[in-house]
Amino acid sequence: MISLAYANSAPAPGGLMSFVPFIIIFILFYFMLIRPQMRQAKEHKKLLSELKKGDEIMLASGILGKIEKVSDNFVILEISDNTQIKVQKNSVQAVLNKGTIKSI
């Protein structure tokens, strides 16, 4: 049995109006999460493409070193006198200013 108060109420909004909250949530996600992440990935890709011999870099693991050789996917990094390691380019976190490693 339906009471008269519910029977006389206005019909629920339908069609496009029911999707408005979902559209607003998607727009918020785009501007707060997706767009900044895409911009950060673009900046990291640019950083990796500009790596050259002699740059001082920091890896995601915190290792600091000087680039000895750059290839498509790998970087040979001198972390100490006569100590070199081969790491993936994607692990490069930041390029440091010249002389940073000597000052530490």
Side-chain angles (χ1 to χ4, degrees), residues 51-89:
L51 291 177
K52 61 188 178 299
K53 182 179 178 179
D55 283 347
E56 294 180 1
I57 60 171
M58 181 178 70
L59 302 179
S61 62
I63 296 174
L64 302 175
K66 188 174 181 181
I67 296 177
E68 291 297 315
K69 183 179 177 187
V70 179
S71 65
D72 290 338
N73 296 320
F74 294 96
V75 173
I76 296 179
L77 193 62
E78 182 178 14
I79 57 174
S80 175
D81 293 333
N82 300 322
T83 307
Q84 295 181 347
I85 57 174
K86 188 175 190 178
V87 296
Q88 289 184 333
K89 263 181 139 175

Side-chain angles (χ1 to χ4, degrees), residues 5-14 17:
Y6 288 112
N8 292 332
S9 66
M17 289 304 289

Side-chain angles (χ1 to χ4, degrees), residues 5-73:
Y6 288 112
N8 292 332
S9 66
L16 194 58
M17 289 304 289
S18 63
F19 289 109
V20 169
F22 294 113
I23 293 170
I24 291 171
I25 290 171
F26 177 76
I27 290 171
L28 286 173
F29 269 110
Y30 179 76
F31 282 106
M32 296 181 77
L33 297 173
I34 298 170
R35 192 167 177 231
Q37 186 176 10
M38 287 173 32
R39 186 180 67 230
Q40 185 180 15
K42 188 177 180 182
E43 289 172 0
H44 188 253
K45 187 176 180 180
K46 181 182 175 199
L47 178 125
L48 295 180
S49 68
E50 294 175 350
L51 291 177
K52 61 188 178 299
K53 182 179 178 179
D55 283 347
E56 294 180 1
I57 60 171
M58 181 178 70
L59 302 179
S61 62
I63 296 174
L64 302 175
K66 188 174 181 181
I67 296 177
E68 291 297 315
K69 183 179 177 187
V70 179
S71 65
D72 290 338
N73 296 320

